[in-house]
Amino acid sequence: FGTVQDAEIGLLKSGELTLASGFAVDDISNFGDISRELFIKSSCYSTVPISAGWPGATVSWTFTSEPKGISFSVVFRESAQTTLEQAKVLIPLTRCNSHKETIRGEMKVRKPGEYILIFDNSFSRFISKRVMYHLAVDASGLS
């Protein structure tokens, strides 16, 4: 049997990474209202890996992009040593009109590991994008 590789995993393996800036769930709780900025070159992508040491928290995000839209995905790996082939796609790569509206989402941390937010601009051959994003964490689900 041949294996079909998810587009998200293919991107992580062979796409051109502009920037990866990682955080732990504890770091996110200290963000407050501050947004962070990513500059993503044309034909490239950037990642925001989030390390979660325990289940129960809910991580939420909002983002906008300029001057055009961006694609977004979330992938889970049990650890940084987990191969990309073993990673699980939680949110498939989706083209977002983030230049026209604020994109919002959230995920429940069900297992300890690394949750990778992917901002993909690989479809744009000439236009670089600026992404303004904000992360928040709700730890009330922790027991």
Side-chain angles (χ1 to χ4, degrees):
F1 292 96
T3 59
V4 176
Q5 187 176 32
D6 293 310
E8 300 80 4
I9 305 305
L11 176 70
L12 291 173
K13 286 179 68 177
S14 60
E16 187 176 338
L17 178 68
T18 298
L19 177 71
S21 56
F23 303 100
V25 168
D26 291 343
D27 297 334
I28 296 169
S29 60
N30 297 324
F31 274 19
D33 294 331
I34 297 171
S35 288
R36 298 183 179 254
E37 181 177 294
L38 289 173
F39 181 77
I40 307 169
K41 296 187 299 189
S42 58
S43 303
C44 297
Y45 71 97
S46 289
T47 63
V48 179
I50 300 170
S51 299
W54 55 88
T58 299
V59 176
S60 60
W61 58 81
T62 60
F63 66 89
T64 59
S65 63
E66 295 176 348
K68 299 267 188 191
I70 197 97
S71 290
F72 178 77
S73 177
V74 178
V75 172
F76 171 75
R77 293 196 310 181
E78 289 193 18
S79 75
Q81 289 72 40
T82 303
T83 65
L84 288 172
E85 289 82 5
Q86 295 172 309
K88 181 177 180 188
V89 176
L90 301 179
I91 298 175
L93 205 52
T94 305
R95 195 84 167 257
C96 301
N97 286 326
S98 46
H99 59 302
K100 295 180 179 177
E101 63 183 331
T102 299
I103 306 300
R104 302 174 192 284
E106 66 179 29
M107 66 180 175
K108 179 93 168 171
V109 174
R110 301 204 182 281
K111 295 168 75 175
E114 185 178 56
Y115 294 80
I116 306 168
L117 279 55
I118 303 170
F119 295 94
D120 176 29
N121 194 32
S122 62
F123 61 87
S124 182
R125 292 181 53 201
F126 303 108
I127 301 173
S128 297
K129 310 286 172 52
R130 189 181 89 148
V131 174
M132 296 296 294
Y133 71 95
H134 180 262
L135 301 175
V137 65
D138 177 2
S140 62
L142 296 172
S143 46

